[in-house]
Amino acid sequence: MFNSRVYPILVPLQSALVLCMDVGFSMSNSSPGEESPFDLSKKVIQKFVQRQVFAETKDEVALVLFGTDATKNPLEQDEQYQNIVVHRHLMVPDFDLLEEIEHQIQPEGQQADWLDALVVCMDLLQKETQGKKCDRLNIVLLTDLCTQVSPDKLEVIIENLKQAEITLQFFLPFPVEDAEEGHGDGEQRDPGHPGAGKGLSREQQSGLEMVKHIMLSLDEEDGLNEVYTFRNAIEQLRMFKRIERRPMAWPCQLTVGSSLSIRIVGYKAVTEEKLKKMWITVDAQSNQREDVKKETVYCLDDDNETEVQKEDIIQGFRYGSDIVPFSKVDQEQMKYKHDGKSFAVLGFTKQNLVLRHQFMGSQVVKIFPPKDDEHAGVALSALIRALDELKMVAIVRYAYDRRSNPQVGAAFPCIKQTYECLIYVQLPFMEDLRPFAFPSLENNKKICPSETQLSAVDSFIDSMMLEEKDENGELIDLLKPHHIPNPAFQRHFQCLHHRAVNPGAPLPPLEPWLQAKLDRPEVIKERCQASLEEIKRKFPLTEVEKKKKLKTSAQIFGKDSKEASAEKGKEDEAEEEYNLADIAEGSVTSVGSVDPARDFRTLLKQKSLPFGEACQQLTHRIEQLLSNKNTQYYMKSITCIQAFKEQSVKMANADLYNSYLQSLKRSIPSRGLEVFWDLLVQDGVTLISSEEVSGSLISKNEANEFLKAEEIKQEAAAPQAEDTGDVDDLLDMM
């Protein structure tokens, strides 16, 4: 049987709200060391308007002040409704209102009847909402109730509030509960309670009785729940409001094979929330967008910087040393083309085979039948209930429209008391999975932990568990993610508001309440101290001083280079330290093109290739890099040459390196690599001298002179063809 369902509301109605704030002289009175009621009430309306501005709602807000020196409202006549000002009429709140609250609203020197201010707010709401579709009319009144109020019009006001369906909220500097306990003049309230201090005056007691009468007349059961204290309101309003988005309907056909088709409508249930950053470039002095003019010019990379028109430019992708042109026509032809929106069932599988870590994408879509199609509702309900009974999911092909690429995903059955639906979650393709395999850490005896060390870490993990037992012995969570706002959003909005109202001041620090939310709970801090001390004892840290490398006998007396290399290798192996990066990079079999210097060092460390063959592979990569006349490739080549020299010194074999560098220098003019040679000279990469390797035939002076540029006589002859014979001969020799 077709069940009734709850569908998302597509067109939310706006609400209208009037903030009515007391700015009379009594609001500035406070006990020493406490904030005045005026400061607290100003914070309340600031926080509320901030939330409305950053939530980008269409709700309209007005601001009425009473207790002002001036009078400006539509009802002022015959000395009535005095000292009441309509500061701002109903409109969507913006940064201008925030700036006015910050700088223009100040304590004033008069007192006004808060019932008169309430009547002005009611009149403003009724007149300025005519012709508008508002789902809620609300008045928020912030006062300390210190003024004498005439109750003559009280019943008329209550009746008008009911007829106009206006809801009312009061914000006071003291809680209603304290007043109900019978505090009179001179009596002291609990000093730990917010708003503690002197007892209520006669005016406040009388005003509070009227407040309770109004609220209970409007709502007998929950009327007093709409009376708040300033401090409680600030605590509840300190988090910025979540941006509300209107769900858009996505009509489509759910197909199972070629013969079964069901009309459906999809709504985004969960999606990634992103900040609306409308950054624009403005002049730093005038802050005006019009003062900044942008002009883009395309030029060739030649001596004259020849200008090129935008129409003559296409995209190009680097493939090795070549540039592959790729025009917009090519891009359009490359795009995957399909028939448009789709929600086709490809098959079914068990729910336990679709693992949680395989969920992808940034959204979850709920699938309902159309509201006016009972047959589609019956068919979709049957599919949902069948999937639920069999504990299965549908694997579907999802395409939002013709322009988007299709996805593969899982449609889970969801049955609630008020509705049924399918919940779609994107799944990965084969190429999206990255199965990484890492060697076991237990194979290295040098770092294998002992049983006592493992036990210490286990106890530390247990002490950091974010749960504790309550009074009934049941485990409760210490960290409640649903109660923690996104700190990036909160900080962003805090800084935006501060910069809007204080353009020249530095940004404020992170708000204390948000910092407290991000810190570890105090219970966890205390609980893990003992475990941390145990870990310090079980895993002592000692500073390791590297010993200076002494010259070997081979370097002093000129022993056979192979024997010296073998001894050197044993010494390096003994001093080799454990490195997680070496394990992760796996086995290197040749000098690659991504990081040839690292591959060269790894090959020599693993001793998987003879030194001469590894050098040949490295110089081959250097020649490939130098064929791309680009600074980026030049720097990569220099890194390779530095690695070549470093390893040659370690192996006490300078011949191959010196021969290659000398032949490379001879080929510089004919190959046009002067820029590369200048970079090499700047880095001071020269030949290996006999002081570095005893078998070298190059003296210290010759190595220093090697980098000095040779004066080449320019002859008026035709340029010779590129000659890399010396380099090729050297590669053949190696």
Side-chain angles (χ1 to χ4, degrees), residues 9-45:
I9 299 174
L10 296 183
V11 185
L13 303 175
Q14 64 182 7
S15 64
L17 179 140
V18 180
L19 295 170
C20 185
M21 180 180 172
D22 188 352
V23 295
F25 66 83
S26 64
M27 290 284 285
S28 302
N29 299 331
S30 63
S31 302
E34 288 189 2
E35 288 184 281
S36 66
F38 173 83
D39 293 331
L40 293 173
S41 61
K42 185 174 177 178
K43 282 185 179 180
V44 171
I45 63 172

Side-chain angles (χ1 to χ4, degrees), residues 137 199 228 233 248 259 289 410 429 434 466 512 543 564 615 697:
L137 304 179
Y228 306 91
M248 297 294 293
S259 57
R289 184 179 184 180
F429 290 107
R434 299 287 190 275
L466 294 170
E543 187 176 352
C615 293
L697 302 177

Side-chain angles (χ1 to χ4, degrees), residues 65 173 202 207 240 250 277 298 323 407 421 436 460 490 497 679:
L65 307 176
R202 290 186 178 86
F240 290 103
W250 179 72
K277 292 183 179 178
Y298 298 93
I323 301 293
Q407 303 172 358
C421 69
F436 292 106
F460 176 65
Q490 300 295 314
H497 170 253
L679 294 173

Side-chain angles (χ1 to χ4, degrees), residues 15-23 27 38 40-53 57 59-68 72-73 83-94 96-102 105 114 116-125 128-129 136-143 166-171 228 230 233-234 237:
S15 64
L17 179 140
V18 180
L19 295 170
C20 185
M21 180 180 172
D22 188 352
V23 295
M27 290 284 285
F38 173 83
L40 293 173
S41 61
K42 185 174 177 178
K43 282 185 179 180
V44 171
I45 63 172
Q46 273 183 328
K47 296 288 185 185
F48 175 79
V49 175
Q50 280 179 23
R51 283 163 58 93
Q52 296 298 102
V53 169
T57 65
D59 299 339
E60 295 185 352
V61 176
L63 179 59
V64 175
L65 307 176
F66 64 98
T68 56
K72 186 180 178 182
N73 65 80
N83 306 112
I84 301 173
V85 172
V86 178
H87 183 86
R88 184 182 174 108
H89 292 269
L90 273 179
M91 61 181 68
V92 176
D94 51 21
D96 291 338
L97 179 57
L98 284 172
E99 197 168 353
E100 291 170 9
I101 294 171
E102 177 73 19
I105 298 181
W114 58 266
D116 286 348
L118 181 58
V119 173
V120 171
C121 294
M122 293 166 58
D123 177 71
L124 184 147
L125 265 183
E128 297 192 7
T129 56
R136 186 184 180 195
L137 304 179
N138 190 27
I139 297 174
V140 174
L141 203 149
L142 305 97
T143 180
I166 297 175
T167 58
L168 188 60
Q169 292 174 309
F170 279 92
F171 290 81
Y228 306 91
F230 292 148
I234 292 171
L237 292 171

